[in-house]
Amino acid sequence: DRSLESPPPPPPTPLKQLRTRVSRQGDIVNSVVWYTGKPISNYALKGYTKFTLDYQSRPPMIYVGGNDGMLHGFSAADGTEKIAYVPKGVIPSLSQLTDPGYNNSHKYFVDGSPMTGDVDMGAGVQDPDDPAYNPAYTPGWRTVLVGALGAGGKGYYALDVTNPTASTDANGAIGFTAGNALDLVKLDRTRGAGEPAPDCVTGLNSA
């Protein structure tokens, strides 16, 4: 909805107070586009062969960070957006994007590059050479995306991108729906460029 964007050039009118966006998609400056298709690693680990077979036909995706405050995931087949994630470190600064003067004073938000990899998230010791290894453990392979803010801040976040459809699959991998948002986010340790660094000595301000 662009109905409240001020007509160019500024200043805004009383009924149209938001900045005029040049594009619906935020600018991409330093983030590299990352392609994720079927699992292709050749891990000789328990359960990985089944994982590659189960997801050999999953929809291919491309992921990229945008300076509109979001990590974007688009279908590599038709370009439709399937997921958008706002890391918590940029949330306090999002209001700057509506400022009519923003176009003349650019800010960075989700400016870092994402990448994906396959991770065994099952419980137990996965390394067969570890004395505590239990061959009866159940592997839980997932494809995880890790991204950063780049010039927009510090830290990183991790999302479960195993199943880029709208439904939970037979392996229990949840799909890209709003209702699954909390479970898709595995970790978010981001902070804005102006936030203080966590105190790793005393634990203060480390949330």
Side-chain angles (χ1 to χ4, degrees):
D1 181 6
R2 309 184 72 170
S3 62
L4 297 180
E5 294 182 18
S6 59
T13 66
L15 296 179
K16 295 180 181 291
Q17 295 286 328
L18 307 183
R19 76 174 174 97
T20 303
R21 291 176 291 171
V22 177
S23 169
R24 291 180 185 273
Q25 170 64 47
D27 60 282
I28 299 167
V29 179
N30 294 309
S31 179
V32 173
V33 176
W34 185 272
Y35 174 87
T36 300
K38 62 183 181 181
I40 58 173
S41 297
N42 192 28
Y43 300 141
L45 296 172
K46 184 176 182 180
Y48 190 71
T49 298
K50 180 180 184 302
F51 177 74
T52 60
L53 292 174
D54 287 344
Y55 292 97
Q56 63 181 333
S57 299
R58 72 178 171 192
M61 296 285 294
I62 55 174
Y63 298 98
V64 65
N67 289 306
D68 50 7
M70 290 177 275
L71 176 281
H72 296 277
F74 301 101
S75 165
D78 60 16
T80 56
E81 186 163 34
K82 301 299 183 181
I83 189 172
Y85 176 64
V86 180
K88 69 176 184 179
V90 304
I91 292 175
S93 302
L94 288 179
S95 61
Q96 297 178 34
L97 291 167
T98 66
D99 188 334
Y102 175 85
N103 291 338
N104 297 318
S105 182
H106 179 270
K107 304 291 184 183
Y108 293 102
F109 287 85
V110 186
D111 192 52
S113 300
M115 64 174 294
T116 60
D118 300 327
V119 179
D120 185 354
M121 301 179 69
V125 177
Q126 292 95 339
D127 183 359
D129 296 326
D130 192 301
Y133 175 71
N134 180 1
Y137 95 94
T138 301
W141 286 97
R142 292 290 185 265
T143 299
V144 176
L145 178 147
V146 176
L149 303 184
K154 303 294 184 181
Y156 57 92
Y157 54 90
L159 310 178
D160 183 347
V161 296
T162 307
N163 174 22
T165 71
S167 304
T168 299
D169 64 25
N171 297 310
I174 57 177
F176 288 178
T177 67
N180 290 335
L182 291 177
D183 293 319
L184 289 170
V185 181
K186 312 313 292 183
L187 184 71
D188 191 329
R189 293 291 184 269
T190 56
R191 58 185 174 89
E195 292 184 55
D199 186 338
C200 297
V201 177
T202 64
L204 296 176
N205 194 33
S206 60

